[in-house]
Amino acid sequence: METFFQDIRYGLRMLGKSPAFTAVAVLTLALGIGANTAIFTLINSVLLKILPVKDPGRLVVVGDPGRANERNLGTPQPDLFSYPLFRQLRDGNNVFTGMTASGEANRSKVETESSGVVTDEAVGTLVTGNYFSTLGVNAFLGRTLSPQDDVDRGAGPVVVVSHDFWTRKLSSDASIVGQTVRLNNFPYTVIGVAAPGFVGDTVGDKQDFWVPLSMQAQMMPGRPWLDDVHASWLRVLARLKPGVSMGQAESDMNLIFQQWLKGPQGLALDPGDQEFLRRARVPVVPGGRGFSQLRGEFFAPLMLLMAIVGLVLLIACVNVANLLLARATGRQREVAVRLAIGATRFRLMRQLLTESLLLAFAGGAAGLLVARWGTEALLKFSVGDRAREGLQTSPDLRVLFFTAGICLLTGLIFGLAPALRSSRVAVAPTLKGGALTQARLRGIPVGKALVAVQVSICLLVLFAAGLLVRSLRNLQNIDVGYDRQEILMVRADPVAAGYKA
């Protein structure tokens, strides 16, 4: 450890003696590492992040809500469920300790007794009474919903608000618990504030409040969906019993599903729907990451971007390697002196690799700032405001470990060739003032070989970028059958405005 810290101190002194070289190298690496970190931050938020719930590895999604978005939600299906079908699955299964359903409600106008109208755009979710207990989410203030709140239709006018909504819109008022708020002009009693960090079970869809499913008619006037077997609108999460596999759970769900089709409610469906559902299967998949429409929509683009920025980082590594090779040529006499007084080649290689790693981690630190800006720019370009608010893009341990790992790998990639070259200096000729030699690879100067590699990668990136720009231009020029100039999209929500059915 003592020699390791000596290497760090010496490396910092050597980099400080060449501020121009250090600045150029750090800036080059910051752009490459920052771009990779920005894309990985989005991959982490959309594809990898786990819900902040208890034991997420035991959660499963029943059905496939992402696939259901591609079909008509007014017909029965095995991906989103009607309330009667959900009850059959919940009450008849032997594989889950808890099974909960949720469905998005109308955007709501929220009014409090003290402040009046708080917002006209609150996003709420109707959930079963065991929603929070099944997920293992506790209350920050008050309590969460319980099964007793979700027994009788219209008899449970209570609401749990998210911690984020409580701080942004309710001024962190601890006395809000027990007060009455009006959601779309209907009174509800606030019973609790959810734990910090929990904003719902859907990636990119931040929820502001949760009310019992039994209040569906009050939250969504004119749409009595609780008794409608054709209304497929509920997403289902469940928690596996100990020792039960997802395959066993899927078999149990499909058995109950087919039994329901043969019962009175299933036979009440249209013959075409019955035939479709008899051939369908209810999937059961891991649910620790929650629901996400963004996951299917952005998986391929994010993977493509990750590959492209990986090539950009490789170009940056080649640039810095060339700079280090040029710098190593000027340090040959220094290396020869150290070898002459007893330093081993391994010791010199370790010292030079330490300097490369210092450059890499300095570039990584600057890259985190670039990544923050890049992530915000990508989100602004690709998703709407609400989804941007719902995605948690603050760097977490996974992002920091990724950045540290890529810094380590980058430092080794661009530092290895200069370190090997510098440690192979001919001591006697160099000390006698002989001509400085260039590193060669099978007779070809290493610098020229690196330039050739860099040009090849740059051409590949340019071709890919050209294809993407051409595809984007073709999409913009598609003939949609009408004049797209000066067209506005208007959304009218009568319920939020106070109208009743």
Side-chain angles (χ1 to χ4, degrees), residues 322-371:
N322 267 322
L323 290 175
L324 286 174
L325 281 173
R327 188 166 179 260
T329 301
R331 296 179 63 183
Q332 287 184 11
R333 288 190 176 86
E334 171 203 337
V335 172
V337 169
R338 297 183 66 183
L339 288 172
I341 62 176
T344 64
R345 296 188 184 276
F346 176 76
R347 181 71 175 81
L348 285 175
M349 283 184 58
R350 194 177 70 180
Q351 169 63 53
L352 295 170
L353 281 176
T354 300
E355 292 182 23
S356 299
L357 290 175
L358 287 174
L359 280 176
F361 278 94
L368 287 174
L369 300 178
V370 176

Side-chain angles (χ1 to χ4, degrees), residues 138-153:
N138 298 319
F140 178 75
L141 290 176
R143 67 175 179 87
T144 58
L145 296 176
S146 68
Q148 289 72 31
D149 298 317
D150 190 36
V151 176
D152 299 322
R153 305 283 176 86

Side-chain angles (χ1 to χ4, degrees), residues 379-392:
L379 286 176
K380 188 175 182 179
F381 175 77
S382 57
V383 300
D385 292 339
R386 188 71 197 182
R388 189 160 67 248
E389 292 177 4
L391 287 174
Q392 301 176 7

Side-chain angles (χ1 to χ4, degrees), residues 24 62 139 192 202 263 265 287-288 355 433 462 485:
V24 171
V62 181
T202 304
Q265 293 177 334
E355 292 182 23
L462 286 174
Q485 299 297 321

